[in-house]
Amino acid sequence: MPRLTTLTSRLAATVVPVLALTFAVSSHAAEPIRIGAVVSATGAASFLGDPEQKTLNQYVEKLNASGGVLGRQIVLTVYDDGSDANTANAMAKRLILQDKVDLILGASTTGSTMAMAPLATANKVPTISLAAATVIVDPVKPFVFKVPHSDTMAAEKVLEDMKQHGITRFALLSDTGGFGKSGRNETIKAAKRLGMTVVEDQSYGERDTDMTPQLTKARGANPQAVFVFGTGQAPAIVARNFKQLGLNVPLYMSHGQASAEFIRIAGPAAEGVRMPSPALLIAEQLAPADPQRPVSLNYKQSYEAKYKQDVSTFGGYAYDGLMMAVDAIKRAGTTDKAKVRDAIEQTKNFVGVSGVYTMSPTDHMGLNSSAFRMVEIRDGRFVEAK
């Protein structure tokens, strides 16, 4: 497969091109469906973007091998924003103005998505984000949707689990990126609703390599638990620092760490950590009648067989975003952008690996709290939390 080699010199220093699946279309064949994607395949958020890129490549190849969509092949163009919001904006502009895509998937992070959203709105290009923060879809933006669970849902799920275990006072650590800031705000609001107290509120940089000072302050506030709201590799470092300091209270993470990569980086310090997660991470443990079991198992087994690495919930978001887009195009019977946008908004009971989606004019995420499962890391693997 050819590599993208026509990046402008202005962007070449900051953008690492990734593989694009390009399928030859004869002059007599139907015009291809052009899907663009912006992911963080490199940089601080590669934790998210790498499995997303792999998933999109894998499943577009599968779709084309089975005849495409509406009898048309898919041309997928994937750009790497290098975990930088400004680059994401430039790449979205390139996809819209130069590549003439019918639809965009991405970005991997909240910051990059928010940098792309005005372009999607102004050019009326349906865009399905793979990032999580509530701000992406609240307030509703007509052409912008997202598939990950919201930070509001994650905060409520974690705090409800704390309350069930008699915890009412906790310390909060959040990163300074878009996801962490939004998560912090939603956690504080959820704590007020649930009558809980944030005894210490600390922040850290997404690229920080030692959070001992923040955890030391948290320990001094005598919390009953610590909750870390962040993405990327930093929360795994927090877990290691937490272990080194000998803190003996429960440690919770947000859904931004629902990946085997977190266990790999945190090592033994991951043991006992609890977090909300899509059903995908415990696919084999789902009840036979659970509608997510077959789709989750199929994706997990297919991805792991191809790439020889553990499945990731972040790759799962890419799977859901792509399949939801395909479903909408099929129902619309066209790639007309306005009609595809309407079809996405009319999505009902779409079973993905991240939940069962029902969109509406007032809800461009389409998930409720039942889409989250509380999981705990035991013996180096995720299990359903009790």
Side-chain angles (χ1 to χ4, degrees):
M1 294 179 290
R3 292 183 65 86
L4 293 174
T5 57
T6 58
L7 295 174
T8 64
S9 59
R10 183 168 63 88
L11 294 171
T14 57
V15 179
V16 179
V18 295
L19 293 177
L21 293 176
T22 305
F23 296 86
V25 181
S26 74
S27 59
H28 301 291
E31 183 71 13
I33 295 172
R34 301 184 186 281
I35 294 179
V38 178
V39 300
S40 298
T42 60
S46 61
F47 193 78
L48 314 175
D50 177 68
E52 291 167 354
Q53 174 193 329
K54 289 174 177 172
T55 297
L56 293 175
N57 286 344
Q58 179 181 10
Y59 279 88
V60 166
E61 186 174 11
K62 283 176 175 285
L63 287 165
N64 282 326
S66 63
V69 179
L70 302 181
R72 298 159 62 183
Q73 293 283 282
I74 299 172
V75 171
L76 172 67
T77 303
V78 182
Y79 290 128
D80 175 15
D81 66 13
S83 305
D84 179 77
N86 291 330
T87 302
N89 174 277
M91 293 294 90
K93 189 176 297 183
R94 181 182 175 91
L95 287 171
I96 293 168
L97 300 179
Q98 181 170 319
D99 299 315
K100 307 292 185 183
V101 297
D102 300 303
L103 180 141
I104 295 175
L105 299 172
S108 302
T109 68
T110 297
S112 287
T113 296
M114 295 305 290
M116 292 165 52
L119 288 169
T121 300
N123 292 278
K124 298 183 178 180
V125 178
T127 297
I128 301 177
S129 175
L130 310 181
T134 300
V135 69
I136 294 169
V137 293
D138 185 12
V140 168
K141 303 165 186 64
F143 280 80
V144 180
F145 303 81
K146 78 181 186 76
V147 284
H149 314 73
S150 73
D151 41 16
T152 304
M153 292 168 56
E156 290 176 345
K157 193 76 173 181
V158 167
L159 269 54
E160 286 168 359
D161 188 77
M162 286 184 185
K163 288 201 77 171
Q164 289 172 8
H165 290 83
I167 297 168
T168 58
R169 303 171 67 258
F170 67 97
L172 175 63
L173 275 70
S174 54
D175 70 41
T176 54
F179 179 72
K181 286 180 179 178
S182 181
R184 172 189 175 274
N185 293 337
E186 295 305 316
T187 300
I188 290 172
K189 288 190 286 187
K192 289 179 179 177
R193 287 195 300 271
L194 295 170
M196 301 175 72
T197 303
V198 180
V199 297
E200 188 64 50
D201 180 12
Q202 291 287 316
S203 64
Y204 61 87
E206 294 175 287
R207 291 177 172 82
D208 287 357
T209 57
D210 181 17
M211 272 59 81
T212 301
Q214 292 94 327
L215 286 170
T216 300
K217 289 182 180 178
R219 181 174 60 182
N222 195 30
Q224 294 173 290
V226 174
F227 181 21
V228 181
F229 216 115
T231 192
Q233 297 185 4
I237 298 172
V238 173
R240 296 206 305 258
N241 295 155
F242 184 92
K243 182 80 169 178
Q244 291 160 357
L245 287 172
L247 287 164
N248 59 0
V249 297
L251 177 60
Y252 286 83
M253 295 284 167
S254 73
H255 55 315
Q257 298 305 306
S259 165
E261 186 72 359
F262 170 78
I263 299 175
R264 185 188 69 79
I265 297 172
E271 191 72 6
V273 173
R274 297 168 77 93
M275 67 186 73
S277 168
L280 177 61
L281 285 190
I282 52 170
E284 294 91 346
Q285 302 169 45
L286 298 177
D290 191 314
Q292 284 189 262
R293 180 181 171 88
V295 66
S296 295
L297 279 175
N298 182 67
Y299 169 66
K300 181 179 188 296
Q301 292 166 357
S302 180
Y303 181 92
E304 291 179 350
K306 181 175 180 64
Y307 293 113
K308 312 303 179 188
Q309 61 183 215
D310 290 322
V311 74
S312 159
T313 57
F314 311 121
Y317 295 141
Y319 173 87
D320 287 344
L322 174 63
M323 293 307 178
M324 186 182 294
V326 167
D327 176 68
I329 290 169
K330 287 179 178 178
R331 285 187 286 110
T334 177
T335 52
D336 178 87
K337 294 179 178 65
K339 292 180 179 179
V340 171
R341 187 221 78 90
D342 290 348
I344 297 172
E345 191 174 80
Q346 294 160 10
T347 297
K348 305 293 182 188
N349 300 316
F350 176 85
V351 181
V353 301
S354 309
V356 180
Y357 295 85
T358 294
M359 302 282 188
S360 76
T362 58
D363 182 1
H364 280 198
M365 175 182 65
L367 295 174
N368 59 40
S369 60
S370 67
F372 260 145
R373 320 293 171 106
M374 279 302 298
V375 298
E376 184 173 334
I377 298 168
R378 288 293 176 197
D379 299 321
R381 61 189 290 265
F382 288 101
V383 299
E384 191 161 10
K386 304 299 182 184

